[in-house]
Amino acid sequence: MDKRYEIFCLADRYFYDTPESLSERQESAGRGTGTDDVLPAARRDVPAAWRRSRQADWLEHWPDRYAGRGTGAGAFPAQGWKVHVSACLENAARIADAVWDYCVPRGIPFKFVPSRTRLHLRNAKYAPRSGSGKFATLYPRSEEQLHTVLTELGAELAGEPGPYVLTDLRWDEGPLYVRYGGFTPRYLLSPEGTPVPAIEDPQGRLVPDRREPAFHVPEWVELPAFLQPHLDARAAATLRELPYRVERALHFSNGGGVYGGTDQRTGERVVLKEGRPHAGLAADGADAVARLEREKAALDALAGLDCAPGVRDWFTLDGHCFLVLDHLPGQPLNAFFAQRHPLLTAEPDPGAVAEYTRWALRIHRLVQEAVETVHAQGLVFNDLHLFNVMVAPDERSVALLDFEAAGRAADGARQVVAHPAFMAPSDRTGYDVDRYALACLRLALFVPMTTVLAVDRGKAAHLARIVERQFPDVPRDFLAEAVATIQGPAAAAERPAPATGARSTGPQPQSQPYEPPVALPDALDPAGWPGVRDALAGAVRASATPERDDRLFPGDLAQFEPGGGLGLAYGAAGVLHALAESGAGTYPDGEEWLLRHTDPPPRGTPLGLYDGLLGAALALDRLGHTKRAVELAGMVADERAGWDRLGPALYGGLAGIGLAFDELAARTGDTGLRDAADHAARLLADRAGDIGQRARGGLLYGASGEALFLLRHYERTAEPALLDSAATALRADLAKCRPGRAGTWLLEEGHQQLPYLGEGSVGVAAVLDEYARHAPVGEEFAAARAAILPAAKVRYCAQPGLFRGRAGLLLHLARTAAPGVTRAELAAQLDGLSWYAMDYRGHLAFPGEQLMRLSMDLATGTAGCLLAVAAAAARGSAASVPFLPFLSPPPAPAGRGGTETGPVEGP
């Protein structure tokens, strides 16, 4: 699970949104207009000759004379040593006033977080560790002024508590920290084409401004002598004097780490859990230390019982608390899905389904018994989920892990920390919190999709019916009890309204259990397809927020990166593309929004196909706005010094850039864009020697994306060497494919084996299909297509999305020319896609990445599902992702009278 998504669930009940939206809504609703939330310093009048501005969750203050910082002689430096000030919720107002009163008379630029809500979110358990503790930032002009600030302000704030700033070097024992970094926003592009904060090296080159949670000094920068004693003090804080040897990091959060190690006195394995003071805040304000103390108290109460690990030690090191626990052998429950879930194949074996059913029912009984043992001691576990259950090596017993949320049942407290797939609604307290999680576990053991209950608990009945169909031996009363517990006694009336001030209205209370508005397999019927299409497109249009500047359609959290609301993958361009390609019609208000927000595009917008300007240009051109499209493409072409340093990837690198230039040049005759496409092709050819060493594979990030560009370039130039290079690129990705548990080929990425269109073997097969349009397939490629095809038919998929989910598998089945795809298999994947379907204002919508909220974007959400369903419903139509059209007979390359092969027949 990607923990970044949790904090984006706080602001809106139905869509991912920025934490800033929550605090802005609270401020405008009155909860943040008094001393309880907005800090007094944030309401001060701006001093004369100063400027104030908002940037994300910062309130910035700069003297007028520095307004052009970093832009010429005498300007304020663009980078240098900066001071961060840490603060807690209780002393934030006092520290903000102190920073203001110190900086303004001395003309030192500064910024701070203006409300306690925003500060809480920055220090929450799963907030980014790189920003932990940073409440205020000061920008000294020189090392001399830096020393003065640290000495004077450090003395004034001595003793004030605050979270440790992990990226920085601490000054004495107070709340001041220091690091070298950028003063003004500058970016460079990663090999994938994404913006990375940057600073300038002595040669004038932009290099990454490293912000990982460890103190770092650029190699050309000398540490000031007055900081050396503080660096020595930091280095002196180690575990060397303790009897434990730390051997590996198991997990990190903003509250601290979890480490595996050995008790050197006995040789026994142990687990060390770290709690950082004032950091890792839960909803009730408890920091990581308070939660670690709760865990120790709970485990002490359970001492000697097999349902929990034993406590070995408790100690403090450099202010951080550590709880040492016995190591429990076995595997966490979530690990068993990849190993034995019977639906991870195209044709589940009935015997395997029955065997898995017996195993899952037994495991659930063991977990329930462990929870009941905890309850017998008067405790509520409060955080039951798949990752917190350790299954013993013999699989005959289980233990519970992570008791930091546990508490006395008599206290009647609500949950404050929980996995979204198992988090109880607000009406459950005490033992009922654990009973709710046990009910979710009944469903999740068979279809691990209970995260969607965070959007609509009425979905539980639908999930139970899916379990009943796929696992016929599961007792009906086992499922009925789960649904009754999840939905509660007043399920029809308790579906909550959106958060106050939210723009979405979301699903409405219903008196009946959840039913999808339409049946997706009906899309294969010409009479049923218009209704399915309109239900999907209706949800997309109903979600639009044209009054916002950051995004038009709600989608993945990636849309909140610079320019992310514009592009094909997560932004407006991709949604408008899907509406038009599927036959759902245009959306003029959306086109106007995209035109307005690309004139000019936001600072830092990436250049690439799926993440940036060229994707927006491509969509605008296809919607008839060719003039703006050419302007945007010309802007990118003029930035050659930027994009010719990119990596080869299709997503945001040279392959995608070359494809877009090629397409727009062909449509407009623009010779500058044609030259840019040729230049991209030459750059890829120059780097072809290392194609086998590329770290990632697949369509979006691997060599297959390069092969797609080379094939499209071949169609224009008829250069035979391009076909050879495309074949070499495809072989590089095929070398990363391995047989999965069921024998089908999957793309290996680290410890994962992936089948998906964007990041998996199916994307490789999609480009193999394109290669087959231009050259004989040969035995090697034919065997690869056949081995990958079953991956697109798999019965269970974790998510619905186009690039990392079932919609992409459906799209491949709909367009592939590989033999062996039947209408029944298309219908089966359409039915599988309906597993995730949800009602949105009477329309049909899908959750995005991690399933915690609905999404409308192309990469993860409803627009991508619309495109895939359209491809299945109207085979031979235009419905496709860019540059992967339906497989019609191949075009004749420029300069030739025909092709060497005939048309490839579809199924």
Short mmCIF file of all heavy atoms in Angstrom, two decimals, residues 577 581 609-610 622 650 659 699-700 704-705 707-709 711-712 757-758 762-771 773 802-803 808 811-812 814-816 867 871 877-888:
data_model
loop_
_atom_site.label_atom_id
_atom_site.label_comp_id
_atom_site.label_asym_id
_atom_site.label_seq_id
_atom_site.Cartn_x
_atom_site.Cartn_y
_atom_site.Cartn_z
N HIS A 577 -9.57 13.57 -24.07
CA HIS A 577 -9.23 12.57 -25.09
C HIS A 577 -10.17 11.37 -25.00
O HIS A 577 -10.72 10.90 -26.01
CB HIS A 577 -7.77 12.13 -24.91
CG HIS A 577 -7.39 10.95 -25.74
ND1 HIS A 577 -6.90 11.07 -27.02
CD2 HIS A 577 -7.41 9.61 -25.46
CE1 HIS A 577 -6.65 9.86 -27.51
NE2 HIS A 577 -6.94 8.96 -26.58
N GLU A 581 -12.68 10.12 -27.94
CA GLU A 581 -12.35 8.86 -28.60
C GLU A 581 -13.44 7.82 -28.40
O GLU A 581 -13.64 6.93 -29.23
CB GLU A 581 -11.03 8.31 -28.04
CG GLU A 581 -9.81 9.14 -28.40
CD GLU A 581 -9.29 8.83 -29.79
OE1 GLU A 581 -8.91 7.68 -30.04
OE2 GLU A 581 -9.31 9.75 -30.64
N LEU A 609 4.92 13.51 -23.00
CA LEU A 609 3.69 13.06 -23.61
C LEU A 609 2.59 12.83 -22.58
O LEU A 609 1.49 13.37 -22.69
CB LEU A 609 3.95 11.77 -24.40
CG LEU A 609 2.71 11.08 -24.98
CD1 LEU A 609 2.00 11.98 -25.97
CD2 LEU A 609 3.09 9.76 -25.64
N TYR A 610 2.85 12.01 -21.57
CA TYR A 610 1.80 11.67 -20.62
C TYR A 610 1.78 12.58 -19.40
O TYR A 610 0.78 12.65 -18.70
CB TYR A 610 1.94 10.21 -20.19
CG TYR A 610 1.27 9.27 -21.17
CD1 TYR A 610 2.02 8.50 -22.04
CD2 TYR A 610 -0.11 9.20 -21.24
CE1 TYR A 610 1.41 7.67 -22.96
CE2 TYR A 610 -0.73 8.37 -22.15
CZ TYR A 610 0.03 7.60 -23.01
OH TYR A 610 -0.59 6.79 -23.91
N ARG A 622 -6.32 17.19 -31.52
CA ARG A 622 -7.38 16.24 -31.90
C ARG A 622 -8.76 16.82 -31.64
O ARG A 622 -9.75 16.35 -32.21
CB ARG A 622 -7.19 14.93 -31.15
CG ARG A 622 -5.93 14.20 -31.60
CD ARG A 622 -5.79 12.84 -30.97
NE ARG A 622 -4.61 12.15 -31.47
CZ ARG A 622 -4.29 10.90 -31.18
NH1 ARG A 622 -5.06 10.20 -30.38
NH2 ARG A 622 -3.20 10.34 -31.69
N LEU A 650 8.65 6.51 -22.65
CA LEU A 650 7.46 7.01 -23.32
C LEU A 650 6.69 7.98 -22.44
O LEU A 650 6.17 8.99 -22.90
CB LEU A 650 6.56 5.82 -23.70
CG LEU A 650 5.21 6.14 -24.35
CD1 LEU A 650 5.42 6.66 -25.76
CD2 LEU A 650 4.32 4.91 -24.37
N LEU A 659 7.20 10.87 -30.42
CA LEU A 659 5.90 10.49 -30.98
C LEU A 659 5.01 11.72 -31.18
O LEU A 659 4.34 11.87 -32.22
CB LEU A 659 5.21 9.49 -30.06
CG LEU A 659 5.63 8.03 -30.19
CD1 LEU A 659 5.14 7.23 -29.00
CD2 LEU A 659 5.10 7.44 -31.48
N LEU A 699 5.69 -0.52 -21.26
CA LEU A 699 5.31 0.49 -22.24
C LEU A 699 5.66 1.90 -21.80
O LEU A 699 6.25 2.67 -22.57
CB LEU A 699 3.79 0.38 -22.49
CG LEU A 699 3.20 1.40 -23.47
CD1 LEU A 699 3.77 1.19 -24.87
CD2 LEU A 699 1.67 1.28 -23.48
N LEU A 700 5.33 2.28 -20.58
CA LEU A 700 5.50 3.67 -20.16
C LEU A 700 6.93 4.02 -19.79
O LEU A 700 7.38 5.15 -20.05
CB LEU A 700 4.58 3.98 -18.97
CG LEU A 700 3.09 4.00 -19.24
CD1 LEU A 700 2.34 4.37 -17.98
CD2 LEU A 700 2.74 4.97 -20.37
N SER A 704 9.94 -0.90 -24.47
CA SER A 704 8.79 -1.07 -25.36
C SER A 704 8.26 0.28 -25.84
O SER A 704 7.79 0.41 -26.97
CB SER A 704 7.68 -1.85 -24.67
OG SER A 704 8.09 -3.15 -24.37
N GLY A 705 8.29 1.29 -24.96
CA GLY A 705 7.88 2.62 -25.38
C GLY A 705 8.79 3.18 -26.45
O GLY A 705 8.34 3.84 -27.39
N ALA A 707 10.39 1.31 -28.59
CA ALA A 707 10.06 0.56 -29.79
C ALA A 707 8.83 1.13 -30.48
O ALA A 707 8.78 1.19 -31.73
CB ALA A 707 9.83 -0.91 -29.42
N LEU A 708 7.85 1.57 -29.72
CA LEU A 708 6.66 2.16 -30.31
C LEU A 708 7.01 3.41 -31.11
O LEU A 708 6.52 3.61 -32.23
CB LEU A 708 5.65 2.47 -29.21
CG LEU A 708 4.31 3.06 -29.68
CD1 LEU A 708 3.58 2.09 -30.59
CD2 LEU A 708 3.43 3.42 -28.48
N PHE A 709 7.85 4.26 -30.56
CA PHE A 709 8.27 5.45 -31.30
C PHE A 709 9.03 5.07 -32.57
O PHE A 709 8.79 5.63 -33.65
CB PHE A 709 9.13 6.35 -30.41
CG PHE A 709 9.81 7.47 -31.16
CD1 PHE A 709 9.10 8.28 -32.03
CD2 PHE A 709 11.16 7.71 -31.00
CE1 PHE A 709 9.73 9.32 -32.72
CE2 PHE A 709 11.80 8.73 -31.68
CZ PHE A 709 11.08 9.54 -32.55
N LEU A 711 8.75 2.43 -34.35
CA LEU A 711 7.82 1.91 -35.35
C LEU A 711 7.03 3.02 -36.01
O LEU A 711 6.84 3.02 -37.24
CB LEU A 711 6.87 0.91 -34.68
CG LEU A 711 7.50 -0.41 -34.24
CD1 LEU A 711 6.55 -1.19 -33.36
CD2 LEU A 711 7.91 -1.24 -35.46
N ARG A 712 6.57 3.97 -35.23
CA ARG A 712 5.83 5.09 -35.82
C ARG A 712 6.75 5.95 -36.70
O ARG A 712 6.34 6.46 -37.74
CB ARG A 712 5.20 5.94 -34.71
CG ARG A 712 4.13 5.20 -33.92
CD ARG A 712 2.86 5.04 -34.75
NE ARG A 712 1.91 4.19 -34.06
CZ ARG A 712 1.68 2.92 -34.35
NH1 ARG A 712 2.33 2.34 -35.35
NH2 ARG A 712 0.78 2.22 -33.69
N LEU A 757 -0.86 -2.92 -18.63
CA LEU A 757 -0.62 -2.25 -19.90
C LEU A 757 0.49 -1.20 -19.78
O LEU A 757 1.39 -1.13 -20.62
CB LEU A 757 -1.91 -1.58 -20.39
CG LEU A 757 -1.79 -0.77 -21.69
CD1 LEU A 757 -1.50 -1.67 -22.87
CD2 LEU A 757 -3.07 0.04 -21.94
N GLY A 758 0.43 -0.35 -18.77
CA GLY A 758 1.43 0.70 -18.63
C GLY A 758 2.72 0.21 -18.04
O GLY A 758 3.81 0.62 -18.47
N VAL A 762 1.73 -6.96 -20.54
CA VAL A 762 0.70 -6.69 -21.55
C VAL A 762 1.09 -5.48 -22.40
O VAL A 762 0.83 -5.46 -23.62
CB VAL A 762 -0.67 -6.50 -20.88
CG1 VAL A 762 -1.66 -5.81 -21.80
CG2 VAL A 762 -1.21 -7.85 -20.43
N GLY A 763 1.73 -4.48 -21.81
CA GLY A 763 2.20 -3.34 -22.60
C GLY A 763 3.26 -3.74 -23.60
O GLY A 763 3.33 -3.21 -24.72
N VAL A 764 4.12 -4.70 -23.23
CA VAL A 764 5.12 -5.21 -24.17
C VAL A 764 4.42 -5.91 -25.33
O VAL A 764 4.77 -5.72 -26.50
CB VAL A 764 6.09 -6.17 -23.46
CG1 VAL A 764 7.16 -6.67 -24.43
CG2 VAL A 764 6.73 -5.50 -22.25
N ALA A 765 3.41 -6.72 -25.00
CA ALA A 765 2.67 -7.43 -26.06
C ALA A 765 1.96 -6.47 -26.99
O ALA A 765 1.84 -6.73 -28.19
CB ALA A 765 1.68 -8.39 -25.41
N ALA A 766 1.46 -5.34 -26.46
CA ALA A 766 0.78 -4.36 -27.30
C ALA A 766 1.72 -3.82 -28.38
O ALA A 766 1.32 -3.62 -29.54
CB ALA A 766 0.24 -3.23 -26.44
N VAL A 767 2.98 -3.61 -28.02
CA VAL A 767 3.94 -3.11 -29.02
C VAL A 767 4.40 -4.24 -29.94
O VAL A 767 4.69 -4.02 -31.12
CB VAL A 767 5.12 -2.41 -28.32
CG1 VAL A 767 6.07 -1.81 -29.35
CG2 VAL A 767 4.62 -1.31 -27.38
N LEU A 768 4.45 -5.47 -29.43
CA LEU A 768 4.70 -6.61 -30.32
C LEU A 768 3.64 -6.68 -31.42
O LEU A 768 3.95 -6.98 -32.58
CB LEU A 768 4.70 -7.91 -29.51
CG LEU A 768 5.96 -8.24 -28.71
CD1 LEU A 768 5.70 -9.45 -27.81
CD2 LEU A 768 7.15 -8.51 -29.62
N ASP A 769 2.39 -6.41 -31.05
CA ASP A 769 1.33 -6.37 -32.06
C ASP A 769 1.62 -5.31 -33.11
O ASP A 769 1.37 -5.53 -34.31
CB ASP A 769 -0.01 -6.07 -31.39
CG ASP A 769 -0.60 -7.28 -30.68
OD1 ASP A 769 -0.21 -8.41 -31.01
OD2 ASP A 769 -1.46 -7.09 -29.80
N GLU A 770 2.10 -4.15 -32.68
CA GLU A 770 2.43 -3.09 -33.63
C GLU A 770 3.58 -3.51 -34.54
O GLU A 770 3.57 -3.23 -35.74
CB GLU A 770 2.78 -1.81 -32.88
CG GLU A 770 1.62 -1.18 -32.14
CD GLU A 770 0.52 -0.73 -33.09
OE1 GLU A 770 0.83 -0.24 -34.20
OE2 GLU A 770 -0.65 -0.88 -32.73
N TYR A 771 4.56 -4.18 -33.97
CA TYR A 771 5.69 -4.66 -34.78
C TYR A 771 5.21 -5.63 -35.84
O TYR A 771 5.68 -5.62 -36.99
CB TYR A 771 6.72 -5.32 -33.87
CG TYR A 771 7.93 -5.86 -34.60
CD1 TYR A 771 9.00 -5.03 -34.92
CD2 TYR A 771 7.99 -7.19 -34.99
CE1 TYR A 771 10.11 -5.52 -35.59
CE2 TYR A 771 9.09 -7.69 -35.67
CZ TYR A 771 10.15 -6.85 -35.96
OH TYR A 771 11.24 -7.34 -36.65
N ARG A 773 2.66 -5.60 -37.54
CA ARG A 773 2.03 -4.93 -38.69
C ARG A 773 3.05 -4.58 -39.77
O ARG A 773 2.65 -4.26 -40.89
CB ARG A 773 1.32 -3.66 -38.23
CG ARG A 773 0.24 -3.89 -37.18
CD ARG A 773 -0.29 -2.57 -36.65
NE ARG A 773 -1.05 -1.84 -37.64
CZ ARG A 773 -0.96 -0.54 -37.86
NH1 ARG A 773 -0.10 0.18 -37.16
NH2 ARG A 773 -1.70 0.04 -38.77
N LEU A 802 -6.39 2.00 -16.10
CA LEU A 802 -5.91 1.71 -17.45
C LEU A 802 -4.45 1.30 -17.47
O LEU A 802 -4.07 0.36 -18.18
CB LEU A 802 -6.11 2.95 -18.34
CG LEU A 802 -5.78 2.79 -19.82
CD1 LEU A 802 -6.75 1.83 -20.49
CD2 LEU A 802 -5.80 4.14 -20.53
N PHE A 803 -3.60 1.96 -16.72
CA PHE A 803 -2.17 1.69 -16.79
C PHE A 803 -1.71 0.63 -15.79
O PHE A 803 -0.74 -0.08 -16.05
CB PHE A 803 -1.37 2.98 -16.55
CG PHE A 803 -1.43 3.94 -17.71
CD1 PHE A 803 -1.17 5.29 -17.52
CD2 PHE A 803 -1.75 3.50 -18.97
CE1 PHE A 803 -1.21 6.17 -18.58
CE2 PHE A 803 -1.80 4.38 -20.05
CZ PHE A 803 -1.54 5.72 -19.85
N GLY A 808 -6.70 -1.74 -18.54
CA GLY A 808 -5.65 -1.91 -19.54
C GLY A 808 -5.61 -3.31 -20.11
O GLY A 808 -5.33 -3.51 -21.30
N LEU A 811 -8.43 -3.45 -22.59
CA LEU A 811 -8.08 -2.73 -23.81
C LEU A 811 -7.20 -3.60 -24.71
O LEU A 811 -7.39 -3.65 -25.93
CB LEU A 811 -7.36 -1.42 -23.47
CG LEU A 811 -6.96 -0.56 -24.66
CD1 LEU A 811 -8.19 0.07 -25.30
CD2 LEU A 811 -5.98 0.53 -24.25
N HIS A 812 -6.24 -4.30 -24.11
CA HIS A 812 -5.37 -5.16 -24.91
C HIS A 812 -6.16 -6.30 -25.56
O HIS A 812 -5.96 -6.60 -26.75
CB HIS A 812 -4.24 -5.73 -24.05
CG HIS A 812 -3.32 -6.61 -24.81
ND1 HIS A 812 -2.53 -6.16 -25.85
CD2 HIS A 812 -3.05 -7.95 -24.70
CE1 HIS A 812 -1.81 -7.16 -26.34
NE2 HIS A 812 -2.11 -8.25 -25.67
N ALA A 814 -9.16 -6.23 -26.44
CA ALA A 814 -10.03 -5.67 -27.48
C ALA A 814 -9.26 -5.34 -28.76
O ALA A 814 -9.85 -5.37 -29.84
CB ALA A 814 -10.71 -4.42 -26.95
N ARG A 815 -7.98 -5.03 -28.65
CA ARG A 815 -7.25 -4.57 -29.83
C ARG A 815 -6.22 -5.54 -30.35
O ARG A 815 -5.72 -5.37 -31.47
CB ARG A 815 -6.57 -3.22 -29.54
CG ARG A 815 -5.40 -3.31 -28.55
CD ARG A 815 -4.69 -1.98 -28.40
NE ARG A 815 -4.10 -1.51 -29.62
CZ ARG A 815 -2.93 -1.91 -30.10
NH1 ARG A 815 -2.22 -2.82 -29.44
NH2 ARG A 815 -2.45 -1.44 -31.21
N THR A 816 -5.83 -6.57 -29.60
CA THR A 816 -4.74 -7.42 -30.02
C THR A 816 -5.10 -8.24 -31.25
O THR A 816 -6.25 -8.63 -31.44
CB THR A 816 -4.31 -8.36 -28.89
OG1 THR A 816 -3.16 -9.10 -29.31
CG2 THR A 816 -5.42 -9.33 -28.51
N LEU A 867 -12.47 4.48 -21.94
CA LEU A 867 -11.74 4.20 -23.17
C LEU A 867 -11.63 2.71 -23.42
O LEU A 867 -11.82 2.23 -24.55
CB LEU A 867 -10.35 4.83 -23.06
CG LEU A 867 -9.60 5.09 -24.36
CD1 LEU A 867 -10.34 6.11 -25.20
CD2 LEU A 867 -8.20 5.60 -24.06
N ALA A 871 -13.33 0.45 -26.47
CA ALA A 871 -12.57 -0.41 -27.37
C ALA A 871 -13.19 -1.80 -27.47
O ALA A 871 -13.23 -2.40 -28.54
CB ALA A 871 -11.13 -0.50 -26.89
N SER A 877 -13.15 0.74 -33.75
CA SER A 877 -13.39 2.17 -33.61
C SER A 877 -12.08 2.88 -33.31
O SER A 877 -11.02 2.28 -33.18
CB SER A 877 -14.38 2.42 -32.47
OG SER A 877 -13.74 2.19 -31.23
N ALA A 878 -12.19 4.18 -33.13
CA ALA A 878 -10.99 4.98 -32.84
C ALA A 878 -10.58 4.92 -31.40
O ALA A 878 -9.55 5.47 -31.03
CB ALA A 878 -11.25 6.44 -33.24
N ALA A 879 -11.38 4.28 -30.55
CA ALA A 879 -11.09 4.29 -29.12
C ALA A 879 -9.75 3.64 -28.81
O ALA A 879 -9.57 2.45 -29.03
CB ALA A 879 -12.21 3.59 -28.36
N SER A 880 -8.81 4.42 -28.29
CA SER A 880 -7.47 3.89 -28.01
C SER A 880 -6.71 4.90 -27.19
O SER A 880 -7.08 6.08 -27.10
CB SER A 880 -6.70 3.62 -29.31
OG SER A 880 -6.39 4.84 -29.96
N VAL A 881 -5.62 4.44 -26.59
CA VAL A 881 -4.66 5.38 -26.04
C VAL A 881 -3.83 5.90 -27.19
O VAL A 881 -3.74 5.27 -28.25
CB VAL A 881 -3.77 4.70 -24.97
CG1 VAL A 881 -4.58 4.28 -23.78
CG2 VAL A 881 -3.03 3.51 -25.56
N PRO A 882 -3.22 7.07 -27.05
CA PRO A 882 -2.44 7.62 -28.16
C PRO A 882 -1.38 6.66 -28.68
O PRO A 882 -0.67 6.02 -27.90
CB PRO A 882 -1.81 8.87 -27.54
CG PRO A 882 -2.78 9.28 -26.49
CD PRO A 882 -3.30 8.00 -25.92
N PHE A 883 -1.35 6.52 -30.01
CA PHE A 883 -0.34 5.76 -30.75
C PHE A 883 -0.48 4.25 -30.60
O PHE A 883 0.39 3.51 -31.01
CB PHE A 883 1.08 6.21 -30.35
CG PHE A 883 1.27 7.69 -30.47
CD1 PHE A 883 1.39 8.48 -29.34
CD2 PHE A 883 1.27 8.31 -31.70
CE1 PHE A 883 1.52 9.85 -29.44
CE2 PHE A 883 1.41 9.68 -31.81
CZ PHE A 883 1.53 10.46 -30.69
N LEU A 884 -1.59 3.78 -30.01
CA LEU A 884 -1.90 2.35 -30.00
C LEU A 884 -3.32 2.17 -30.54
O LEU A 884 -4.24 1.79 -29.82
CB LEU A 884 -1.81 1.78 -28.59
CG LEU A 884 -0.42 1.48 -28.05
CD1 LEU A 884 -0.49 1.02 -26.61
CD2 LEU A 884 0.29 0.42 -28.91
N PRO A 885 -3.52 2.43 -31.84
CA PRO A 885 -4.87 2.34 -32.40
C PRO A 885 -5.31 0.90 -32.57
O PRO A 885 -4.54 -0.03 -32.38
CB PRO A 885 -4.70 3.02 -33.76
CG PRO A 885 -3.28 2.72 -34.13
CD PRO A 885 -2.51 2.79 -32.84
N PHE A 886 -6.59 0.74 -32.92
CA PHE A 886 -7.07 -0.58 -33.27
C PHE A 886 -6.23 -1.12 -34.43
O PHE A 886 -5.82 -0.38 -35.32
CB PHE A 886 -8.55 -0.51 -33.68
CG PHE A 886 -9.13 -1.85 -34.04
CD1 PHE A 886 -9.55 -2.71 -33.04
CD2 PHE A 886 -9.25 -2.24 -35.36
CE1 PHE A 886 -10.08 -3.95 -33.36
CE2 PHE A 886 -9.78 -3.48 -35.68
CZ PHE A 886 -10.19 -4.33 -34.68
N LEU A 887 -6.01 -2.41 -34.43
CA LEU A 887 -5.06 -3.00 -35.38
C LEU A 887 -5.69 -3.22 -36.75
O LEU A 887 -6.10 -4.32 -37.12
CB LEU A 887 -4.51 -4.31 -34.81
CG LEU A 887 -3.59 -4.10 -33.61
CD1 LEU A 887 -3.20 -5.41 -32.99
CD2 LEU A 887 -2.36 -3.31 -34.00
N SER A 888 -5.73 -2.15 -37.51
CA SER A 888 -6.15 -2.22 -38.90
C SER A 888 -4.95 -2.59 -39.75
O SER A 888 -3.82 -2.65 -39.25
CB SER A 888 -6.70 -0.86 -39.32
OG SER A 888 -5.75 0.15 -39.09
#
